[in-house]
Amino acid sequence: MIIYLDMDGVIADFFKRFAELNDVAHWKTIKEKDKALRALGSTDYFNQLDTFYDDDVDVSAEIVNYVKKASIDNNIDWGICSSPLRGDHNNSSYWKRVWLQDRDFVPSIENMVFTSHKSKYAINGLTGRPNILVDDKISNIIEWKNKGGIGIRFQADQDDYKEYLFPALEDAIRNNK
Ligand SMILES: [Mg+2]
């Protein structure tokens, strides 16, 4: 089993920086979102993102450290499963990798996945058993589950990592070992 963490919305605060760059209080009020997204291409945007904070606590580091420890304690793997920016695959993946390295969030290289087709990783290639995906995007979770994986929908600025994410991960690991 591999526990995959999505980046944007789960450990990287994509939307806060996206709003800042477009001079709006909330990204949903950006007028031409597609154009604004395209403008991120060929830049180091993904290295400009903050981790999520709750007062002084780095929530993203708490999450990654929890998953690292859970993988050791349960003798399973963990990884990153993140979608690159459309039309900017190599460049955005590069800066995502730099961001992970700077924060000591890097999993083993084979489990660091940048793909637009996350659900290809829903089933473990070695064991035929489900992998876990933590992701904020509901369509990613639905596709992952449709392929037989275990999906946990989690959005760091909205859901409680201690009350909700950690117990959900504990259950998923215990029930599928
Ligand atoms: Mg996301």
Side-chain angles (χ1 to χ4, degrees), residues 1-3 67-79 111 124 130-132 169 172-174 176-177:
M1 172 188 279
I2 303 172
I3 306 170
V67 168
K68 283 181 181 176
K69 184 172 186 304
S71 76
I72 293 167
D73 291 347
N74 294 283
N75 197 25
I76 57 180
D77 288 318
W78 76 280
N111 293 336
N124 194 289
N131 289 326
I132 299 172
L169 278 169
I173 294 166
R174 183 167 2 111
N176 290 282
K177 276 221 282 189

Side-chain angles (χ1 to χ4, degrees), residues 77-131:
D77 288 318
W78 76 280
I80 294 289
C81 191
S82 177
S83 298
L85 184 67
R86 203 185 312 154
D88 192 43
H89 193 124
N90 290 349
N91 178 66
S92 59
S93 299
Y94 170 80
W95 288 112
K96 282 170 182 260
R97 198 164 62 241
V98 169
W99 189 90
L100 291 167
Q101 279 164 348
D102 286 348
R103 287 156 186 81
D104 198 20
F105 289 173
V106 179
S108 66
I109 295 302
E110 69 268 26
N111 293 336
M112 182 161 51
V113 177
F114 299 109
T115 177
S116 310
H117 305 284
K118 295 191 182 194
S119 64
K120 283 194 295 190
Y121 298 84
I123 295 291
N124 194 289
L126 292 174
T127 63
R129 304 272 299 147
N131 289 326

Side-chain angles (χ1 to χ4, degrees), residues 152-155 159-169:
I152 300 173
R153 188 180 179 276
F154 172 80
Q155 188 178 317
D159 303 316
D160 193 302
Y161 66 104
K162 276 190 228 162
E163 300 288 326
Y164 168 65
L165 177 61
F166 291 176
L169 278 169

